[in-house]
Amino acid sequence: MGPVELDAHRAELTAHCYRMTGSFHDAEDLVQETLLRAWNARDRYDPARASVRTWLYRIATNACLTALEGRARRPLPAGLGTPGQDPGAPLAPAVDVPWLEPFPDARLDAAARTDLRLAWIAAVQLLPARQRAVLVLREVLAFSAAEVAEQLDTTVAAVNSALQRARSTLAAAEAEQLREPDGPEQKAVLERYLAAFEAADVPALVGLLAHDAVLEMPPLALWYRGPQHYGQFMDRVYAMRGTGWLTRPVGANGQSAFAAYAPAPDGPGHLLHSVQLLDVAAGSVTRTTVYTDPAVLRPFGLPERL
């Protein structure tokens, strides 16, 4: 077993650690730790007991469980408190909250992009860490109950019980519907949304929204529900930053997303402002999650200026 063989599993392990932690940066660190542990323990690996892949997932899962001890879950703003009523409220970031981060699709192969939708990852964060591990290992990665029991040093009965409780929590959070991949209808809605966004056509944007659409902008704890407040806030954005924005589609969490570039205040060109992820259902935008933190945007490899 060489480093090349171990590194071949990096992409899928990164997705696994992201599902567990909700942080792309933490996932990369944990995968690096996993591969180092595996390399150091290579002489003790027994191929008769498990494949290299199964062995690596055991190391990665337990590294995640250790990292999650004593940590708060990573939420989205809509998972905390009630929606805002004032579209002119102060835009003060909540820097003390470990917000859920997006995941750049470019860091994965296509096979590893399943079950990465942002709202589903947010719902999974509601689970205790071991239930989270059981759910991901059983339902996303399709390990058997016996394999999961071996990985977590527990019994098959305990695995089945944890999976049942995890499913109940996700059903209560209405998360299952958020796992469907984007199709042609979603892509068409994204194209219309981008055209309206670049044209600063707020009525057209509002016309694409579901009646209970959510707009959230971590690290702001402030969030809005419904087309009226959504539209009023977008009016505020264009008044503050000007019109004539540019957009570029990007891959994030296996769903509709784009990078937004605001007119540069210091001369010609446009500066990277945000990466925005859209949830689309029945031809309408149901949620927009806007990320502006430069540290969160950096892994997307986007140009800072157009």
Side-chain angles (χ1 to χ4, degrees):
M1 180 194 308
V4 174
E5 182 180 359
L6 294 177
D7 200 65
H9 299 275
R10 182 182 294 272
E12 61 172 322
L13 290 172
T14 304
H16 175 58
C17 292
Y18 171 73
R19 294 183 187 102
M20 287 289 296
T21 65
S23 166
F24 176 75
H25 293 89
D26 287 354
E28 286 201 314
D29 291 344
L30 286 164
V31 170
Q32 193 62 30
E33 178 184 340
T34 295
L35 296 178
L36 180 60
R37 287 188 190 180
W39 178 250
N40 290 336
R42 64 191 184 279
D43 293 338
R44 299 191 298 276
Y45 166 64
D46 182 359
R49 293 188 60 188
S51 67
V52 171
R53 179 175 181 266
T54 300
W55 181 59
L56 287 173
Y57 269 105
R58 174 174 184 156
I59 298 172
T61 301
N62 283 284
C64 289
L65 291 174
T66 299
L68 289 168
E69 289 178 0
R71 288 194 188 182
R73 70 180 177 91
R74 287 183 174 270
L76 290 171
L80 300 174
T82 57
Q85 301 299 316
D86 178 11
L91 304 179
V95 296
D96 58 329
V97 177
W99 296 106
L100 183 65
E101 298 175 1
F103 197 112
D105 284 357
R107 299 298 185 97
L108 294 173
D109 55 41
R113 291 178 191 169
T114 58
D115 295 277
L116 281 177
R117 295 182 72 84
L118 196 66
W120 189 78
I121 297 294
V124 170
Q125 301 303 300
L126 297 171
L127 301 174
R130 287 183 70 84
Q131 284 187 32
R132 200 180 305 175
V134 168
L135 179 81
V136 172
L137 290 169
R138 288 283 287 118
E139 298 219 324
V140 179
L141 298 168
F143 285 111
S144 69
E147 288 174 316
V148 175
E150 172 73 16
Q151 290 171 333
L152 298 179
D153 291 321
T154 188
T155 65
V156 169
V159 167
N160 290 335
S161 176
L163 181 59
Q164 184 176 6
R165 294 195 302 272
R167 286 171 172 167
S168 296
T169 299
L170 286 191
E174 299 181 341
E176 292 300 317
Q177 62 181 320
L178 302 172
R179 298 173 64 179
E180 294 299 322
D182 282 356
E185 183 183 42
Q186 287 86 347
K187 290 179 173 59
V189 172
L190 174 63
E191 291 174 0
R192 295 198 296 272
Y193 192 95
L194 296 185
F197 188 93
E198 290 189 346
D201 187 344
V202 174
L205 287 174
V206 169
L208 290 168
L209 303 178
H211 71 92
D212 57 351
V214 166
L215 173 64
E216 54 191 350
M217 303 151 284
L220 303 179
L222 182 69
W223 64 282
Y224 298 103
R225 184 188 297 279
Q228 180 180 358
H229 287 154
Y230 195 118
Q232 290 171 339
F233 187 82
M234 291 306 301
D235 280 329
R236 178 185 181 185
V237 169
Y238 292 126
M240 291 171 57
R241 301 298 300 269
T243 58
W245 290 55
L246 297 179
T247 62
R248 296 290 184 271
V250 298
N253 292 76
Q255 65 187 86
S256 300
F258 66 96
Y261 286 80
D266 57 352
H270 294 73
L271 299 179
L272 179 61
H273 172 268
S274 55
V275 165
Q276 306 191 23
L277 286 75
L278 304 182
D279 281 316
V280 179
S284 298
V285 174
T286 59
R287 179 185 299 264
T288 303
T289 305
V290 181
Y291 287 97
T292 59
D293 184 347
V296 173
L297 303 187
R298 200 169 295 122
F300 286 88
L302 295 162
E304 293 291 327
R305 181 185 287 264
L306 294 179

